[in-house]
């Protein structure tokens, strides 16, 4: 069944009369409801048994390190683009952007500098052969996975396009600081703060595609699935990466993006088409999307049950609701351990961002937190992206120093001194202590040099 066989919505309405109305998503209510449904078993989790999900959940709750992914039939090495060490820290199948490499790059992260988060390896796909398949009980006629509605690459590009500047950030960004700064033991990739990037994305609204596919009034969840290799844990395949969205979010601001900073989305970032879910944890923005299940029942996958939830003493015994919005963070565009000459005026640069709203204020301390002063903001505050800032500093006596940046957003949240820990190290939001050294004389290192 192809998209061309699907009748278009009546002119001027934008959707079929039987489709649900769009309201701003009540994400907190959705999270609480899905958590109850998961606990009681009132949900669908295709491809993985509930017993297997509970086994994974038990390992997660106990902070047991989960086995890594098995071999992937994809690009070799696992990331296609070059990863020069002055730009990236390689972390297994992932690559973290060095903050000093972003100095002077402008608001948007260049594609070549954008971080890479892969569960397996980057697949090299052909846009001419690619199809987006939609199926499930939440579409009119309930087409099965074996008889989906299909959209080709050109079909998507023929639909009305929108362009948005949006950040993509891994839920584990900052995870390494749980250990290095707070002494906590957590599992997962020990990211610094470089698992984030901001790009100008162009694509089609997921809402438009769902409506053209025949969205039913019974639909409740939408689950995109990627075309990368299956993820293997404990010797068992969990299938390809997938994670459900509430219908209200899918109809609100989610994009199917085919351009990134004016170019086709690069292989490592989801070519030919990826999902883009503004302000939510990066796992929701499925790369290399191949199919979307639209369901009249709640959907679950390992990526919103065993993974991407909060476990630990500070959280409910059964774990938190699935993660959605990102936290508040700040970073200096500066290498760790950079040196500065004593008595010479400097200008420190950085960026702050929040998943709950725009950045309203940034305060900086150059004396380890003893005193604070406001930074100058260089961008108008906008939700879904970061705000660049700067502050002057004249280093004093030679010796080690710590630079701190603390953001406040328009939702009233302010970065805390200590992040509430969880076993998988998600959503680190504390003020990060950035070490530098003040030296005598004119000797200094540029922002791009210091401790790797």
């Amino acid at each position: 069944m192809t998209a061309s066989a699907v009748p278009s919505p009546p002119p001027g309405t934008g959707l079929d009369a039987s489709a649900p109305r769009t309201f701003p998503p009540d994400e907190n209510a959705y999270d609480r409801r899905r958590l109850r449904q998961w606990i009681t078993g009132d949900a669908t989790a295709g491809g993985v048994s509930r017993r297997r999900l509970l086994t994974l959940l038990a390992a997660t709750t106990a902070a047991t390190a989960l086995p890594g992914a098995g071999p992937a039939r994809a690009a070799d090495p696992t990331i296609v683009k070059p990863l020069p060490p002055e730009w990236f820290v390689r972390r297994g199948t992932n690559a973290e952007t060095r903050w000093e490499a972003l100095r002077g790059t402008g608001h948007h992260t260049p594609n070549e500098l954008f971080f890479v988060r892969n569960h397996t390896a980057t697949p090299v796909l052909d846009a001419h052969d690619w199809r987006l398949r939609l199926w499930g009980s939440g579409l009119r006629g309930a087409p099965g996975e074996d008889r989906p509605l299909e959209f080709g690459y050109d079909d998507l590009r023929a639909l009305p396009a929108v362009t948005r500047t949006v950040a993509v950030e891994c839920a584990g960004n900052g995870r390494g600081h749980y250990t290095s700064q707070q002494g906590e033991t957590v599992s997962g990739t020990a990211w610094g703060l470089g698992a984030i990037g901001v790009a100008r994305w162009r694509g089609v609204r997921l809402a438009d595609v769902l409506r053209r596919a025949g969205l039913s009034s019974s639909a409740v969840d939408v689950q995109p699935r990627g075309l990368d290799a299956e993820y293997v844990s404990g010797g068992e395949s969990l299938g390809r990466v997938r994670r459900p969205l509430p219908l209200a979010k899918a109809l609100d601001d989610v994009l199917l993006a085919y351009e990134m900073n004016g170019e086709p989305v690069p292989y490592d970032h989801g070519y030919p088409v990826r999902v883009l879910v503004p302000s939510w944890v990066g796992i929701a923005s499925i790369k290399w999307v191949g199919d979307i299940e639209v369901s009249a029942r709640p959907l679950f996958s390992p990526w919103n049950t065993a993974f991407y939830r909060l476990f630990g003493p500070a959280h409910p015994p059964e774990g938190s609701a699935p993660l959605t919005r990102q936290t508040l963070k700040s970073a200096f565009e500066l290498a760790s351990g950079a040196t500065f000459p004593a008595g010479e005026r400097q200008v420190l640069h950085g960026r702050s961002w929040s998943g709950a709203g725009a950045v309203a204020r940034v305060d900086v301390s150059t004396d380890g937190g003893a005193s604070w002063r406001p930074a100058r903001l260089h961008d108008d505050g906008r939700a879904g992206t970061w705000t660049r800032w700067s502050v002057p500093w004249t280093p004093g006596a030679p010796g080690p120093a710590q630079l701190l940046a603390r953001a406040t957003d328009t939702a009233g949240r302010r970065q805390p001194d200590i992040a509430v820990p969880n076993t998988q190290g998600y959503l680190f939001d504390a003020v990060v202590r950035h070490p530098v050294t003040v030296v005598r004389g004119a000797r200094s290192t540029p922002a791009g040099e210091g401790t790797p």
Side-chain angles (χ1 to χ4, degrees):
M1 190 181 301
T2 64
S4 59
V6 180
S8 298
T13 65
L15 72 159
D16 183 83
S18 65
R21 295 173 63 192
T22 304
F23 297 97
D26 185 342
E27 294 164 8
N28 290 332
Y30 171 84
D31 293 344
R32 292 191 298 270
R33 185 168 63 253
R34 286 295 178 268
L35 178 58
R36 290 194 300 271
Q37 289 165 327
W38 160 244
I39 293 170
T40 59
D42 182 22
T44 299
V48 181
S49 69
R50 180 170 176 79
R51 176 177 295 180
R52 178 56 181 152
L53 287 178
L54 289 171
T55 300
L56 288 169
L57 184 59
T60 302
T61 304
T64 302
L66 295 168
R73 295 186 301 276
D76 186 20
T78 56
I79 295 175
V80 173
K81 69 182 179 183
L83 300 173
E86 64 271 22
W87 290 356
F88 292 100
V89 178
R90 187 67 188 264
R91 301 191 184 279
T93 59
N94 312 304
E96 177 175 356
T97 305
R98 293 184 182 274
W99 270 93
E100 60 269 28
L102 294 179
R103 180 74 189 97
T105 56
H107 189 88
H108 299 98
T109 309
N111 292 354
E112 62 271 19
L113 287 175
F114 212 95
F115 85 101
V116 179
R117 168 66 173 110
N118 284 349
H119 277 77
T120 55
T122 295
V124 177
L125 305 174
D126 187 334
H128 297 290
D129 298 330
W130 175 87
R131 296 291 183 274
L132 176 64
R133 296 173 170 86
L134 288 92
W135 58 280
S137 59
L139 295 175
R140 293 197 306 274
E145 189 174 1
D146 59 338
R147 295 190 69 251
L149 297 144
E150 295 187 352
F151 291 79
Y153 188 71
D154 291 338
D155 294 329
L156 287 192
R157 294 191 66 98
L159 296 175
V162 295
T163 301
R164 292 196 180 119
T165 291
V166 172
V168 175
E169 181 184 8
C170 179
N173 195 27
R175 179 184 284 123
H177 296 295
Y178 276 114
T179 301
S180 64
Q181 190 164 292
Q182 298 187 186
E184 303 283 348
T185 299
V186 297
S187 63
T189 301
W191 297 103
L193 290 173
I196 181 175
V198 170
R200 188 176 64 255
W201 306 92
R202 182 176 175 83
V204 60
R205 298 175 192 271
L206 177 56
D208 290 345
V209 174
L210 292 173
R211 288 161 177 159
R212 281 165 172 78
L215 188 62
S216 165
S217 59
S218 65
V220 296
D221 273 4
V222 173
Q223 181 164 258
R225 179 167 54 177
L227 289 169
D228 43 340
E230 294 185 356
Y231 184 73
V232 177
S233 174
E236 180 179 347
S237 173
L238 301 182
R240 300 199 305 275
V241 177
R242 61 202 181 280
R243 196 172 197 261
L245 297 168
L247 181 65
K249 180 66 173 176
L251 295 179
D252 181 33
D253 58 358
V254 177
L255 292 186
L256 295 172
Y258 47 74
E259 286 185 11
M260 178 180 180
N261 291 329
E263 302 174 356
V265 173
Y267 287 124
D268 293 309
H269 303 293
Y271 182 84
V273 176
R274 71 171 297 161
V275 178
L276 189 70
V277 184
S279 299
W280 279 32
V281 291
I283 185 62
S285 295
I286 298 293
K287 298 193 287 185
W288 317 293
V289 60
D291 73 284
I292 299 176
E293 179 181 2
V294 184
S295 178
R297 291 192 62 198
L299 293 173
F300 285 93
S301 83
W303 288 271
N304 74 333
T305 52
F307 313 129
Y308 300 96
R309 294 171 65 206
L310 304 180
F311 299 94
H315 305 286
E318 68 276 9
S320 75
L323 302 184
T324 54
R325 288 192 174 266
Q326 265 291 1
T327 52
L328 185 59
K329 297 185 182 73
S330 300
F332 289 90
E333 295 174 356
L334 190 65
S336 178
T339 61
F340 295 92
E344 292 190 15
R345 186 180 185 275
Q346 310 289 329
V347 178
L348 303 173
H349 295 264
R351 308 183 189 211
S352 299
W353 60 98
S354 170
V359 171
R361 178 187 177 97
V362 178
D363 295 289
V364 172
S365 172
T366 55
D367 54 11
S371 62
W372 297 84
R373 53 201 169 105
R376 177 189 173 195
L377 305 185
H378 295 283
D379 296 301
D380 294 332
R382 288 182 293 168
T385 186
W386 52 30
T387 295
R388 295 170 295 167
W389 46 262
S390 65
V391 67
W393 176 46
T394 301
Q402 287 187 332
L403 308 178
L404 287 71
R406 182 179 64 200
T408 303
D409 66 21
T410 53
R413 301 190 309 176
R414 190 178 80 170
Q415 286 185 261
D417 295 329
I418 298 175
V420 177
N422 61 91
T423 59
Q424 294 186 87
Y426 295 129
L427 302 186
F428 185 88
D429 62 351
V431 173
V432 172
R433 295 178 174 271
H434 192 109
V436 298
T437 302
V438 179
V439 298
R440 296 184 184 277
R443 182 170 62 89
S444 65
T445 61
E449 298 179 10
T451 303

